[in-house]
Amino acid sequence: DLSQASSPLARIGQIYGEALAKKLIRVEMEEPGMRLLAFFAPPEFSRPTRTDQHLFLSGRPVKLGSLAVPIYQVLGQALPAGQHPVFFLYLDIDPKLVDVNVHPKKEEVRFQNEEAVKDLFRRAAMRALGTFTPTWEGKPMPTSPQKTLPPPRSFGPQEEMISFGSPEEKPWRVLGQVQKTFILVETSDGIEIVDQHVAHERILFEHYRDGAEVPMQRFLIPVQIELPFDQAEALREAIPMLRALGVELEPFGRRAFLVRGWPAALAERQARLGFLEPLLSVAESWRTGNRELLDLWREVACSAAIRAGEELSPSEQEALISAWKATKEPARCPHGRPIAVRLTFEEIAKKLGR
């Protein structure tokens, strides 16, 4: 006998094991007269049969029947052939919207608006799908914490430290990273303290501004995002211009969108960080009247750039500084913030009383 469970998830863990319960993706949604709590298993827990698919209506198990169709339409694309998704749906609904007397044992029910219920299940499945590992070119995107620097140009092999000496060597060297936010650079006459985020933002922005083509990486499994209504309306209007930036979006209801493609040089990194923040920035920029292509790219570049607090390897620091120094406007980021603070050796010596 099973002991009393404190929650639906705890009960799932009792029956199916903690290994599955810990991996389930929780989705909560609410519509007028309906409230859904759903748990979806990642693709690696798929089954060869449909036995691990459950619908509970106000706590009572009922047959799914055709209500499973929209879930298959969404999750089926993420599963191997012949496999079935695992999910648990807990639906509370206004009694006026459902007839529970269709079956003597109340195992089957008839909804007043079955399409609304199917749409609720479909959107819940899409939200779960958005948390699965995005896939491109048939392979999962890396989700490990491996650090990669994704400026849209190739860097040659870099030594970890560059010393002064012969004329062909760079007249600067990277001393290291401070607080995982600033990079210290020694030059011939002083020290530069470089903000890694805004330096990378400048690199990305100039790459597009100078007319570089923006190749798109399309995802085999789209990622769903959902925005507030005002921003969603603005983003919908911006879709044609976003395509020129390598961003492919498809409206998916009033407030939701499917991200089907992203600038190739940024796709892997953005998949780890999430797509909502840069698109919210673009939507807000569009909503407030900044609708030039460069304005939109400025927002994408800002959100895609490496962050404060992100640790970089010595070679990544080197690559970033090299690319930043090659930009046409290295003093400020596209939004006008200074990128670096410079202290001459003379200033340092004076402050130290030398």
Side-chain angles (χ1 to χ4, degrees):
D1 292 340
L2 295 175
S3 60
Q4 185 173 358
S6 59
S7 67
L9 184 59
R11 176 65 74 189
I12 294 171
Q14 288 177 339
I15 298 174
Y16 293 92
E18 289 301 317
L20 172 64
K22 289 179 179 179
K23 292 289 187 178
L24 290 175
I25 297 162
R26 180 188 181 109
V27 176
E28 295 184 60
M29 304 191 74
E30 190 165 350
E31 294 292 338
M34 296 187 292
R35 184 170 62 249
L36 175 67
L37 170 63
F39 297 94
F40 296 92
E44 60 265 30
F45 287 92
S46 60
R47 304 284 197 254
T49 68
R50 294 183 172 88
T51 54
D52 294 335
Q53 301 173 355
H54 302 277
L55 170 61
F56 299 89
L57 182 64
S58 300
R60 180 188 296 273
V62 297
K63 292 181 178 179
L64 267 165
S66 63
L67 294 173
V69 171
I71 297 176
Y72 271 84
Q73 290 173 339
V74 173
L75 299 184
Q77 59 187 307
L79 302 179
Q83 293 293 99
H84 299 270
V86 173
F87 54 84
F88 306 85
L89 309 174
Y90 298 84
L91 179 65
D92 289 324
I93 191 168
D94 186 333
K96 298 176 183 177
L97 302 179
V98 61
D99 181 0
V100 297
N101 297 313
V102 177
H103 189 277
K105 296 183 179 180
K106 301 185 185 297
E107 293 177 349
E108 298 177 8
V109 298
R110 181 182 293 116
F111 293 99
Q112 188 179 96
N113 188 346
E114 184 172 303
E115 289 306 310
V117 177
K118 286 182 177 180
D119 183 64
L120 185 67
F121 290 175
R122 175 183 58 81
R123 289 187 290 115
M126 280 302 308
R127 189 171 294 182
L129 181 66
T131 68
F132 295 164
T133 302
T135 302
W136 60 344
E137 294 181 353
K139 300 178 181 179
M141 282 187 173
T143 55
S144 68
Q146 177 186 2
K147 305 294 188 302
T148 56
L149 182 68
R153 64 178 76 184
S154 60
F155 301 104
Q158 303 281 347
E159 297 178 4
E160 290 193 1
M161 298 292 283
I162 296 180
S163 59
F164 302 125
S166 60
E168 63 269 21
E169 292 181 335
K170 296 181 177 69
W172 51 266
R173 64 169 178 162
V174 173
L175 300 178
Q177 189 181 32
V178 178
Q179 292 189 321
K180 299 181 182 179
T181 298
F182 308 105
I183 298 174
L184 299 185
V185 181
E186 181 183 355
T187 67
S188 58
D189 63 349
I191 299 292
E192 295 175 328
I193 305 171
V194 182
D195 185 320
Q196 64 191 35
H197 169 73
V198 289
H200 193 208
E201 185 181 344
R202 166 55 63 183
I203 296 166
L204 295 175
F205 178 75
E206 285 200 7
H207 181 75
Y208 179 77
R209 186 195 63 185
D210 293 343
E213 182 182 353
V214 184
M216 180 190 298
Q217 176 62 62
R218 285 185 169 83
F219 303 136
L220 294 182
I221 300 177
V223 178
Q224 183 186 6
I225 62 165
E226 193 167 302
L227 280 69
F229 181 77
D230 287 349
Q231 282 86 351
E233 288 296 305
L235 190 62
R236 191 186 307 273
E237 295 177 9
I239 285 176
M241 293 188 74
L242 284 171
R243 287 198 186 99
L245 301 179
V247 175
E248 182 176 333
L249 296 178
E250 177 186 331
F252 194 70
R254 296 186 67 189
R255 299 193 297 120
F257 297 84
L258 299 181
V259 182
R260 294 193 174 276
W262 202 256
L266 309 176
E268 180 179 336
R269 173 187 173 77
Q270 205 65 53
R272 294 198 303 269
L273 297 176
F275 297 95
L276 181 60
E277 182 182 338
L279 292 174
L280 271 173
S281 297
V282 167
E284 188 61 23
S285 179
W286 186 276
R287 194 176 69 86
T288 55
N290 297 325
R291 301 184 176 186
E292 293 296 326
L293 204 57
L294 284 180
D295 289 330
L296 301 183
W297 180 249
R298 185 181 290 113
E299 299 304 327
V300 173
C302 180
S303 297
I306 57 177
R307 309 294 180 86
E310 185 169 349
E311 186 175 1
L312 302 179
S313 70
S315 61
E316 289 169 337
Q317 297 168 36
E318 188 86 27
L320 178 64
I321 296 302
S322 181
W324 164 62
K325 285 184 173 293
T327 60
K328 295 178 179 178
E329 300 177 51
R332 295 186 178 275
C333 81
H335 291 94
R337 286 176 53 193
I339 294 176
V341 173
R342 294 173 174 84
L343 294 173
T344 66
F345 291 131
E346 183 179 350
E347 290 172 324
I348 295 172
K350 185 176 181 180
K351 288 180 180 294
L352 294 174
R354 297 185 64 86

